[in-house]
Amino acid sequence: MPIFLALIFVPPVYFVYHYRKLIREKVEEIEHHYSAIRIYRKTDEVAPNKAHNIDCLELHPKFVAKYRGKHQMMSLGSYLSTLRLPRISTDGDIKDGEASSKEQVAKFVKKELNVALGKLLLNYFGKTYGAALLPLTGSDSVDSYLSGIATKIASWGTKQILSNNSIGNGIIDDDIDEDGDDDIGIFPFTLVELVSILNVNNTLGGKMNMSKTPLELLEIGEVDIFDHSFDGLISNPFVLEADFEKTIQRMEDRIRIVEETYDPHDKSIPPPMPINERVLPDLYLGSGDTCYSHTKRETLVNRLTALLLTKLSYNFYKRSKNEKDLFEVIYKEETCQHPDELLQALINHGHSVDVCPRTQITNFGFSLCVKEKDGSWTNIPTAIMLNTGLERYSDNRPVTFAAPHGGIDFYITGPLIGATNTCAMQFYVAFQGLCAFHSDQDIIMPYKKKASLAKPYSTVKAVQAARMAGLISVAFSKIATEMELPFGGYGTMGMCNDISGFVDFAINGQTMAYPLISTGRYLSHFIRCITELSGTLKDKVGMEYAVDDIQKLIHSIANISSDLHVSPSAAKSSITRYKASYPEAFFQETADSLQILNEIAEMYESLTVW
C-alpha cells in the first residue's frame, strides 16, 4: 500500500542540492562554531520527563510484554524522546546584527534534520513513487515539479518531531501546533484521498513507465528486481526431476562470478547502516541482528518455483490467441501447461501444499533499529498509518490502519520442492507491475507475523486457487498493457489485497481482506477482459474448469466490497474485515482504533441500520 510514499519520496537530487547549498552558505560558521555540535541520546533517565515524550508509532504494551526477553524492541517515539541538543554558550565571536549562537544552532539543526529525514527515505526508495503517482501538471520535469513540495513534506515531518519539545527551544516555528497528545506517526490522509491521486495522475497523462509491459513480464515470469536473473536458464519443456536442481546450481554459478563468498546456506541479512550520526544518533536503517526465514539457496527455490507457475499462467493468454508454442513443465511424466496442473502434479507425487489468504503489516522494507551502548540491537517496528474514513462521532477521533500487504500464500513441502524448508510463495500484484506468483521469504520478527484470513484451502480449492490466480494475472496484465497504466496498473487497478481478494471471494464466497480499494472503472474493465478471455477459451480442449472459474471470478469482482466510501450500510463489512486483518494489535493506535470500531458497530446495531 505505498500510496502515501508517493507524497514524501521526492527526488534525491533536490535534497542533495538543498544540503550542498546549506553547507556552502554556512560553511565558515559551521566550521568555526558548530563543527562539534551533535544531537545526543539521553537514555539514563529513571523517570522520563513528560515534556520530552513523543508519541510516534507507539507499541501496544501487551505486544511488547509478549516478546520481552525474546526480541528487543522500542517505538519510534521512544527513540525520538531520548534526543537532546547540547546547551550552547555564546563565545563572543558572533558579528553584530547576527542571531545568537543558540538561534543559529537551532536553525542549523532544524535544516540538517530536515535534510536527513528526506535523504533517509529517498536513499532507500528513490524517486520512483513520486514520478509515477503524483500528477504531472505541465512542469518542465518531474524533478522541478516535485521540488516545489519537497520542502513542505520534509519540513512537516521535522516539525512533528521537533514540536514535541524533545530537542530544545528555538527550533520549532511559532505556527506549529504543539498538541502532543496524538501519535505523530499517523498521516492525515484517507483512502479515497490517496486513490484520487492515482486517478488524477492517470487522467492528466500518467503513462506506463516500465521498460517491459506487464504481459511481457508475465511471460518472463518475474520482475527485474534481483541482482541475478534466470534469463537463459529455463528450458522448454522444463523437466522438474532433471532441470530443477540443475537450474539452481547454474544460477549459483552465475552468482559466484560476482559474489565470490556466496554461501548457499547463509540466512543473514545485510548489516544495518547508520542514517546520520550527527542528528539521528545510533539510528540505523536495517533490522538489527535478525535473519531471513530462508537460506540463499532456499530463496532461489522459492523464486524458481514462482517463476514456473507464472510462466504457466501466461499460457492462458497464449491459448486465447491460439498460439501453439506453450511453455511446459513435466513432472513424473505428467505434462503441465497451466499453474493448477503443476500444483496437482506435485500433490500427486508426494508434496503437501498450504494455500491460504494471509496478510501482515508491511513497512515496504523500511526497517529501523537502534545500536545500544553494549553493541546489541533494538528494533523499531515501523508501519504506514493512514485514516480509514471512519471516526468516533463523539469527538471525531479517526480510525486508522497500518498499511498491510496481503496475498494468497502457496507453501509447498516435498521430496523435490520444499525439501529443506517450506517453498514459500505468494500470489499478489507487486508495485513493479507484475500480477503473479512471487517468492515469499521474509525477516523473522514478531511484527512481521501473518494473519490468516480464512481456513487453509482443501486440496481441491488449492488447485482451483492456482488456476484462478493464473487467469486473474492474465486479465490484470492485459488491461494494464492495453491502457498503458503507470506501474503496470499497480494502485490504479487495485493493490495486493484487491487482487488476492478476487480469488478468495470466488473460492469462499467472501474475503476478509482489508482494505479493498478497487474502483468501479477498473472493476468494469476486469469483467470485460475476463469475459473476453472466457469467450476465447470456451472451445479449447481442457479449458472447461478455467471457463467455469471465470464465471466465479466475474461474480466476485462484481460483488466485492470497497473501503473507499464507507457508508453506514457498508461499514459492517469494513469493520468485520478490519478485525480479521488485525487480530493482534502491534501498535497502540491499532488497539485504540479497534475500540472505536466496536463503538461504531454497537451504535449501528442499536439503530438496526444493519
Side-chain angles (χ1 to χ4, degrees), residues 159-416:
K159 289 178 181 180
Q160 289 286 57
I161 295 173
L162 299 181
S163 65
N164 285 267
N165 300 316
S166 60
I167 297 181
N169 296 325
I171 298 180
I172 59 175
D173 293 337
D174 294 335
D175 60 348
I176 297 177
D177 179 8
E178 297 190 42
D179 181 5
D181 294 333
D182 296 329
D183 192 315
I184 66 172
I186 301 164
F187 295 91
F189 307 107
T190 64
L191 284 169
V192 67
E193 291 167 342
L194 297 176
V195 171
S196 294
I197 295 173
L198 298 171
N199 290 328
V200 166
N201 177 45
N202 192 41
T203 301
L204 294 180
K207 294 296 183 181
M208 187 174 294
N209 55 340
M210 303 160 58
S211 60
K212 294 181 175 64
T213 69
L215 278 174
E216 289 171 338
L217 289 176
L218 194 66
E219 183 176 21
I220 292 169
E222 65 177 4
V223 291
D224 185 20
I225 61 172
F226 302 102
D227 293 333
H228 309 278
S229 76
F230 284 99
D231 184 38
L233 301 181
I234 308 300
S235 60
N236 186 17
F238 190 93
V239 182
L240 279 186
E241 302 97 306
D243 294 333
F244 195 88
E245 184 61 28
K246 180 175 66 177
T247 302
I248 296 294
Q249 291 175 356
R250 291 174 64 190
M251 182 62 150
E252 290 182 328
D253 291 340
R254 179 176 288 182
I255 294 173
R256 286 190 180 96
I257 295 174
V258 180
E259 303 176 28
E260 295 181 359
T261 60
Y262 171 80
D263 178 5
H265 307 295
D266 181 24
K267 283 188 176 183
S268 65
I269 62 173
M273 300 296 293
I275 294 170
N276 186 315
E277 277 297 313
R278 185 165 186 174
V279 293
L280 296 171
D282 304 327
L283 187 63
Y284 283 67
L285 192 64
S287 299
D289 56 359
T290 187
C291 64
Y292 285 119
S293 57
H294 291 69
T295 67
K296 290 184 176 180
R297 175 172 291 169
E298 289 165 350
T299 297
L300 292 178
V301 170
N302 295 348
R303 282 182 58 193
L304 179 56
T305 308
L307 181 146
L308 296 176
L309 289 168
T310 298
K311 289 179 72 67
L312 291 173
S313 299
Y314 185 73
N315 282 345
F316 284 122
Y317 178 74
K318 284 191 168 185
R319 294 288 296 271
S320 72
K321 297 296 183 180
N322 294 316
E323 296 182 20
K324 304 299 183 181
D325 58 330
L326 304 183
F327 175 70
E328 294 181 340
V329 177
I330 300 174
Y331 185 46
K332 301 292 185 181
E333 298 183 353
E334 291 190 38
T335 299
C336 309
Q337 295 182 339
H338 302 100
D340 53 308
E341 296 172 351
L342 176 55
L343 197 66
Q344 185 65 67
L346 291 170
I347 294 170
N348 293 343
H349 299 285
H351 290 77
S352 299
V353 299
D354 171 16
V355 179
C356 181
R358 295 189 175 98
T359 186
Q360 64 187 144
I361 291 175
T362 182
N363 56 14
F364 309 102
F366 185 68
S367 300
L368 296 175
C369 58
V370 173
K371 189 172 185 178
E372 305 294 356
K373 292 180 180 180
D374 62 1
S376 64
W377 294 96
T378 298
N379 283 284
I380 298 178
T382 55
I384 305 298
M385 290 283 189
L386 298 167
N387 287 348
T388 62
L390 291 165
E391 61 185 32
R392 183 165 53 201
Y393 305 117
S394 60
D395 58 2
N396 299 331
R397 203 279 196 192
V399 175
T400 64
F401 71 99
H405 167 73
I408 306 290
D409 282 350
F410 285 82
Y411 292 170
I412 302 174
T413 57
L416 178 60

Side-chain angles (χ1 to χ4, degrees), residues 534-594:
S534 176
T536 58
L537 294 179
K538 65 181 181 180
D539 295 327
K540 302 291 191 303
V541 176
M543 289 290 97
E544 298 83 2
Y545 288 118
V547 172
D548 184 59
D549 285 342
I550 286 175
Q551 298 307 309
K552 293 182 175 66
L553 286 169
I554 291 173
H555 176 77
S556 73
I557 294 168
N559 291 279
I560 200 165
S561 300
S562 172
D563 297 303
L564 291 180
H565 175 63
V566 189
S567 65
S569 61
K572 184 175 183 179
S573 171
S574 294
I575 292 173
T576 300
R577 289 181 287 105
Y578 185 109
K579 291 180 178 180
S581 297
Y582 303 97
E584 180 180 9
F586 300 154
F587 297 97
Q588 181 62 48
E589 179 63 28
T590 303
D592 294 344
S593 293
L594 285 167

